[in-house]
Amino acid sequence: MIVTIDGPAGAGKSVVARRLAERLGFRFLDTGAMYRAAALAAHRRGVDWNDAQAVADAANAANIDVTAERVLLDGEDVTAAIRTVEVTRLTRHTAGNPQVRAHLVALQQRVVAAADFVTEGRDQGTVAFPNAECKIFLTASAEERARRRHADLLARGETIDFDEVLAQQNDRDASDATRTVGPLVPAPDAIEVRTDGLTPEEVVDKLAALVQRRREA
Ligand code: DC
């Protein structure tokens, strides 16, 4: 079984998707980590971000291995390195690159073929796994999402103020929603769940109940 969880940054996808996978006994795939690792690979190569082919070549040449706990880039643990503000900002160059998307979607499909999975991203129910048995679109208000991301960054020792986090998030939302390949849109058969005011545990309870209903259908 495949459960896809798509939605904007800060909706709580990663925590919730991970815990849902644990609850169900499924494996978990964070596809955003792949776009981030590809951006880090291109950054380290010093590519010209205006050169889409160079960005795609760097992503294709990179050996990206995402497990439930760690992200490896050419064998090096980059789990923390892909979460910096800088890499987060640069990731739009890989996420907006059609060749990179095709490459990473194919990689996601290979990984997920092996077991029951909860996958998390922006295009999982629309592009990567259109036949998934259960599709969730997880969302929350822009302010709530920025508050969570801000708290997250402070906890990781980054110094950044709330307004900047909100502005960066608005930029990312716009570029995620308007790109021509793999834009952030709910699949027609996705179930929308809003997480404002809910704890991660409450969201997981809701999602687990939805998955259970799909299993019984
Ligand atoms: O979920 P995240 O913040 O780690 O995602 C990082 C970036 O990658 C974000 O700008 C959206 C993009 N992304 C994507 O385009 N498609 C996916 N399946 C997952 C993430």
Side-chain angles (χ1 to χ4, degrees):
M1 184 177 192
I2 301 175
V3 177
T4 60
I5 303 188
D6 292 306
K13 290 190 306 296
S14 49
V15 171
V16 162
R18 202 175 283 275
R19 287 198 202 167
L20 178 68
E22 274 167 24
R23 174 101 57 104
L24 298 171
F26 286 17
R27 289 168 67 182
F28 165 65
L29 180 65
D30 172 1
T31 62
M34 292 178 163
Y35 290 93
R36 289 170 178 273
L40 180 61
H43 181 50
R44 286 181 171 177
R45 274 195 176 201
V47 301
D48 170 1
W49 293 111
N50 296 314
D51 183 347
Q53 189 59 51
V55 174
D57 290 345
N60 286 342
N63 183 5
I64 296 168
D65 185 12
V66 175
T67 69
E69 287 82 33
R70 293 188 312 151
V71 181
L72 302 181
L73 173 60
D74 298 326
E76 178 193 339
D77 190 334
V78 293
T79 313
I82 60 166
R83 304 275 161 205
T84 62
V85 170
E86 186 182 23
V87 173
T88 299
R89 190 173 49 77
L90 293 174
T91 300
R92 75 188 152 86
H93 297 289
T94 50
N97 185 302
Q99 282 194 65
V100 176
R101 295 202 75 88
H103 172 65
L104 292 183
V105 165
L107 180 59
Q108 290 155 23
Q109 291 168 338
R110 277 201 300 282
V111 170
V112 167
D116 291 326
F117 260 93
V118 174
T119 77
E120 184 234 306
R122 304 294 190 285
D123 61 344
Q124 297 297 286
T126 49
V127 178
F129 305 106
N131 298 322
E133 288 84 349
C134 185
K135 301 179 184 178
I136 312 283
F137 193 81
L138 208 64
T139 185
S141 67
E143 289 71 22
E144 169 97 16
R145 293 189 286 116
R147 244 193 321 275
R148 291 173 184 166
R149 173 139 182 87
H150 187 225
D152 224 43
L153 288 171
L154 294 184
R156 261 190 247 131
E158 301 242 10
T159 39
I160 185 163
D161 62 39
F162 175 80
D163 289 343
E164 194 177 339
V165 172
L166 183 60
Q168 284 181 5
Q169 178 185 278
N170 287 340
D171 275 359
R172 272 209 304 157
D173 282 358
S175 98
D176 279 352
T178 56
R179 69 169 162 257
T180 48
V181 283
L184 174 64
V185 283
D189 52 345
I191 304 160
E192 182 169 319
V193 174
R194 291 190 74 85
T195 66
D196 289 74
L198 296 178
T199 64
E201 222 38 49
E202 288 168 333
V203 179
V204 173
D205 288 345
K206 254 186 189 221
L207 301 193
L210 289 173
V211 172
Q212 188 57 31
R213 231 177 291 152
R214 281 293 154 102
R215 277 175 146 173
E216 289 163 1

